[in-house]
């Protein structure tokens, strides 16, 4: 709603003023708005509370806190609800195809309400893998004063004297199949791994994206740190309501915050902490919405010059809760700033530069989660971009979790995740094999399923160091091993992955950034002349619509017609 501020300083909401808007005002009175409420800036408080997953179960409560903050700062809050899909619960099933699709639906739904009701500002609570980037995409499209607030991580569970997360449960499935862990042990871990609400406890996709939002400038610094059940999260919610009203007065919007420097800062923080490969997909999508050029090769360029400074799961030992106790995102930011790795003038959602936000970082005495950049866990960052004759447009690997840096072996080709999983669980995959899972890309899936079930089963069976997996699908932030995803162009679009056959020698080489099959171009071309695209799995509904409109993974798998 465009706000007119007359000489007397009273905000007049032009969207609701005047004779012709009487019907709209009448309807709003039915939801409890007063004449005074309608004269104030109207702030949407969006969230994705849903009873199907633990990640977002605190959203209704936090929304109340945000709304209290908005009211106290002179605004009128309105609650907005959208959806969410659980990657964990859908993993390994047909339902996982809906996960990435939900990113677009969530962004579209927030945008539609923002435009339809001409909101003056918006705060979005986000708590899981797709809701966070979706919130950013919607905020950029609307370009209203706004803030994204992460609703928090889950605490780790405890199993036989050790801390565990959902990653351990996925890997325990493989251990159970191999006979290493009995049924009683698997059941015990299942019951222990998730002690309460919140997003997955490791530095998986949700926590990676929450950190990226702070370094991108769209979330308040330090707001991701408190776990979901920590009282400090409520304090941050109230502050977010106050903050967005400050932005209304200063006219601070996402497109004033987002620059090439802010994207480089977000990439730097993520690769320095061993973040999820999904970061690549989501930042590419957000950059496209903002009209900021960002090529997939930038992730590799930043990784080459950025050390890993955080010992976080899945490649390290600690969870997001330990990072909070160590000093949180401000400590990560100050460590990177001290090493000259951040663009310190980039603005944040508070209107202050990132240099000011990280300057007051508090480091816990004796903490071991974050180390100085001159004594890193790895000299290069966690995400590499591979190319070669199997990935002309690029592929993504989490190098920090790779376990081994190079492998050449015979291809074991599967046209679906289910077929590959069955082979792994039956013990039909051997050391030295390179698993190829294709037709799982954005269009081929459709929906680009995550493969954590397969990768965790490999690790659980003791094959994490001796088997590689390559796919045009993607991976969970909890994946570890030499697992290469996002291969583009995808097989369903006639990418070279469609030409690979059992027994072909495939090489994955992190040092050379190479993903290749030992075939001449002439042979690949000949095979593709005999190739026919697979029959679409869906011919109607949202999945068919998505398949028809989605772009390549190397472009963020967006559906918006942005240049």
């Amino acid at each position: 709603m465009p706000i007119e501020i007359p000489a007397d300083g009273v905000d007049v909401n032009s969207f609701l003023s005047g004779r012709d808007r009487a019907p709209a005002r009448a309807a709003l009175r039915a939801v409890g708005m007063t004449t005074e409420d309608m004269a104030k800036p109207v702030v949407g408080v969006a969230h994705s509370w849903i009873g199907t997953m633990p990640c977002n179960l605190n959203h209704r409560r936090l929304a109340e806190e945000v709304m209290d903050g908005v009211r106290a700062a002179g605004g009128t809050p309105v609650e907005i609800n959208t959806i969410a899909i659980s990657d964990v619960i859908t993993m390994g099933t047909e339902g996982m195809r809906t996960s990435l699709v939900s990113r677009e639906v969530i962004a579209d739904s927030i945008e539609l309400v923002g435009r339809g009701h001409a909101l003056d500002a918006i705060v979005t609570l986000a708590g899981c893998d797709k809701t966070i980037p979706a919130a950013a995409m919607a905020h950029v499209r609307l370009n209203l004063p706004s803030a994204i607030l992460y609703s928090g991580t889950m605490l780790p569970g405890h199993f036989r004297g050790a801390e565990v997360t959902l990653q351990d449960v996925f890997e325990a499935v493989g251990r159970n199949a191999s006979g290493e862990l009995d049924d009683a042990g698997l059941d015990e871990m299942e019951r222990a791994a998730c002690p309460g609400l919140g997003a997955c406890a490791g530095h998986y996709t949700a926590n990676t994206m929450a950190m990226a939002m702070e370094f991108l400038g769209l979330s308040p610094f330090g707001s991701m740190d408190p776990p979901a059940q920590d009282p400090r999260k409520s304090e941050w919610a109230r502050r977010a309501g106050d903050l967005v009203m400050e932005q209304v007065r200063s006219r601070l919007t996402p497109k004033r915050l987002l620059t090439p420097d802010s994207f480089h800062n977000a990439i730097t923080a993520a690769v320095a902490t061993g973040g999820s490969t999904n970061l690549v997909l989501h930042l590419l999508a957000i950059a496209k919405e903002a009209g900021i050029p960002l090529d997939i090769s930038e992730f590799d360029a930043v990784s080459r010059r950025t050390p890993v400074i955080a010992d976080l799961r899945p490649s390290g030992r600690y969870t997001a809760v330990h990072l909070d106790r160590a000093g949180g995102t401000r400590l990560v930011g100050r460590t990177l700033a001290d090493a000259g790795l951040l663009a310190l003038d980039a603005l944040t959602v508070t209107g202050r530069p990132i240099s000011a936000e990280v300057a007051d970082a508090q480091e816990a005495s004796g903490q071991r989660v974050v180390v100085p950049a001159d004594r890193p866990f790895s000299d290069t960052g966690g995400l590499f971009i591979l190319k070669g004759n199997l990935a002309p447009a690029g592929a993504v690997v989490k190098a920090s979790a790779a376990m081994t840096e190079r492998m050449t072996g015979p291809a074991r080709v599967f046209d679906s995740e289910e077929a590959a999983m069955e082979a792994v669980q039956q013990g039909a995959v051997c050391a030295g094999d390179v698993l190829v899972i294709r037709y799982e890309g954005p269009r081929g899936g459709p929906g680009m399923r995550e493969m954590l079930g397969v990768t965790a089963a490999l690790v659980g069976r003791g094959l994490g160091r001796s088997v590689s997996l390559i796919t045009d699908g993607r991976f969970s932030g909890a994946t570890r091993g030499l697992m290469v995803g996002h291969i583009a162009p995808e097989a369903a679009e006639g990418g070279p992955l469609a030409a690979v056959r059992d027994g072909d020698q495939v090489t994955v080489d992190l040092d050379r950034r190479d993903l290749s099959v030992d075939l001449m171009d002439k042979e690949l071309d000949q095979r593709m002349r005999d190739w026919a695209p697979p029959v679409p799995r869906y011919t109607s509904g949202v999945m068919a619509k998505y398949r028809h409109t989605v772009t390549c993974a190397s472009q963020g798998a967006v559906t918006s017609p942005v240049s």
Side-chain angles (χ1 to χ4, degrees):
M1 303 172 186
I3 304 170
E4 300 171 358
I5 303 181
D8 63 5
V10 178
D11 290 351
V12 176
N13 199 318
S14 60
F15 181 76
L16 294 176
S17 62
R19 177 184 58 199
D20 293 348
R21 301 302 291 152
R25 294 194 297 271
L28 288 174
R29 294 183 194 284
V31 301
M33 276 198 196
T34 65
T35 301
E36 292 73 20
D37 291 334
M38 291 183 228
K40 299 173 183 177
V42 177
V43 180
V45 180
H47 62 79
S48 54
W49 184 94
I50 195 165
T52 57
M53 56 200 294
C55 312
N56 309 317
L57 277 177
N58 59 347
H59 281 197
R60 281 177 175 170
R61 177 177 60 78
L62 291 179
E64 290 292 342
E65 303 284 1
V66 175
M67 290 191 286
D68 285 347
V70 170
R71 291 188 191 97
T76 298
V78 291
E79 191 173 8
I80 300 168
N81 186 235
T82 185
I83 63 151
I85 301 290
S86 169
D87 289 12
V88 169
I89 295 169
T90 62
M91 191 74 67
T93 74
E94 187 74 8
M96 172 48 89
R97 300 190 195 282
T98 67
S99 173
L100 187 58
V101 179
S102 76
R103 185 189 71 180
E104 309 304 304
V105 174
I106 295 161
D108 290 352
S109 65
I110 295 172
E111 178 193 3
L112 285 171
V113 175
R115 293 191 189 283
H117 288 263
L119 299 177
D120 297 310
I122 189 164
V123 176
T124 299
L125 292 160
C128 57
D129 296 12
K130 306 308 170 298
T131 57
I132 301 171
M137 292 163 69
H139 285 201
V140 172
R141 293 177 193 173
L142 293 168
N143 200 33
L144 295 171
S146 55
I148 297 169
L149 183 67
Y150 179 48
S151 53
T153 187
M154 182 185 289
L155 298 173
H158 292 85
F159 172 74
R160 299 180 180 178
E163 288 190 335
V164 292
T165 70
L166 273 163
Q167 171 193 345
D168 298 284
V169 183
F170 276 101
E171 293 179 4
V173 172
R175 293 171 57 198
N176 178 261
S178 68
E180 180 187 340
L181 182 69
D182 62 16
D183 291 348
L186 179 61
D187 180 73
E188 183 183 346
M189 184 180 290
E190 171 193 325
R191 295 173 186 276
C194 298
L197 59 85
C200 299
H203 198 49
Y204 311 145
T205 302
N207 283 312
T208 296
M209 291 308 302
M211 179 179 288
M213 290 303 104
E214 296 190 13
F215 282 83
L216 200 58
L218 299 180
S219 291
F221 246 92
S223 61
M224 79 157 278
D225 295 338
Q229 295 176 284
D230 192 301
R232 291 174 295 156
K233 192 62 75 176
S234 294
E235 296 171 13
W236 272 111
R238 288 190 293 274
R239 290 167 65 180
D242 180 74
L243 173 62
V244 78
M245 289 301 298
E246 291 179 12
Q247 291 179 319
V248 168
R249 289 185 282 271
S250 66
R251 300 296 195 268
L252 186 62
T253 62
K255 289 188 178 179
R256 287 182 56 191
L257 299 174
L258 297 180
T259 65
D261 280 348
S262 60
F263 278 92
H264 289 163
N265 284 344
I267 297 170
T268 298
V271 301
T273 53
S276 168
T277 53
N278 285 310
L279 173 94
V280 179
L281 201 68
H282 298 323
L283 286 190
L284 287 170
I286 297 165
K288 283 188 176 294
E289 298 288 359
I292 293 175
L294 181 62
D295 187 82
I296 193 171
S297 61
E298 284 297 310
F299 293 85
D300 196 78
V302 174
S303 265
R304 287 179 185 271
R305 63 176 181 260
T306 305
V308 175
I309 61 167
D311 190 12
L312 295 171
R313 291 189 178 200
S315 51
R317 295 174 292 173
Y318 298 109
T319 67
V321 174
H322 297 106
L323 176 60
D324 170 43
R325 295 169 183 166
T329 53
R330 284 195 173 96
L331 177 58
V332 171
R334 190 185 70 187
T335 304
L336 294 171
D338 289 346
L341 293 169
L342 295 179
L344 295 176
D345 292 335
L347 287 180
T348 70
V349 71
T350 62
R352 302 200 307 166
I354 199 170
S355 57
E357 295 293 348
V358 304
D360 58 353
Q362 300 294 314
E363 182 175 358
S365 176
Q367 68 85 21
R368 298 182 180 181
V369 182
V370 179
V371 298
D374 59 358
R375 298 196 299 276
F377 297 104
S378 169
D379 291 332
T380 56
L383 298 178
F384 289 3
I385 305 300
L386 310 186
K387 292 193 175 181
N389 68 355
L390 280 181
V396 184
V397 62
K398 184 188 283 190
S400 59
M403 298 184 176
T404 185
E405 295 184 355
R406 187 184 190 281
M407 188 177 298
T408 295
R412 294 290 309 282
V413 182
F414 303 94
D415 288 346
S416 71
E417 178 187 5
E418 287 86 353
M421 185 66 166
E422 183 179 0
V424 172
Q425 295 294 55
Q426 289 181 351
V429 175
C430 304
D433 286 345
V434 178
L435 272 64
V436 177
I437 304 179
R438 62 191 178 193
Y439 303 121
E440 293 285 7
R443 289 191 176 178
M448 205 178 180
R449 285 195 289 184
E450 290 183 353
M451 307 288 175
L452 179 58
V454 181
T455 60
L458 288 169
V459 172
R461 295 182 72 93
L463 296 170
R465 296 184 182 276
S466 59
V467 169
S468 181
L469 188 156
I470 68 173
T471 180
D472 50 11
R474 59 195 177 92
F475 299 120
S476 162
T479 290
R480 57 193 182 118
L482 190 59
M483 314 299 180
V484 183
H486 304 212
I487 294 175
E490 62 176 291
E493 291 293 293
L497 200 65
V500 179
R501 296 175 181 170
D502 282 339
D504 289 342
Q505 291 293 304
V506 174
T507 294
V508 182
D509 190 324
L510 300 190
D511 185 56
R512 294 174 55 205
R513 306 296 201 271
D514 180 57
L515 176 61
S516 298
V517 60
D518 188 16
L519 295 172
M520 300 294 290
D521 290 345
K522 181 178 179 180
E523 173 64 18
L524 284 172
D525 292 342
Q526 178 61 49
R527 291 185 184 184
M528 290 309 297
R529 277 195 285 271
D530 299 328
W531 174 81
V535 176
R537 290 186 172 92
Y538 299 91
T539 57
S540 64
V542 65
M543 304 301 286
K545 185 189 303 182
Y546 179 84
R547 182 185 184 279
H548 182 69
T549 58
V550 71
T551 61
C552 181
S554 63
Q555 298 176 345
V558 296
T559 58
S560 291
V562 291
S563 59

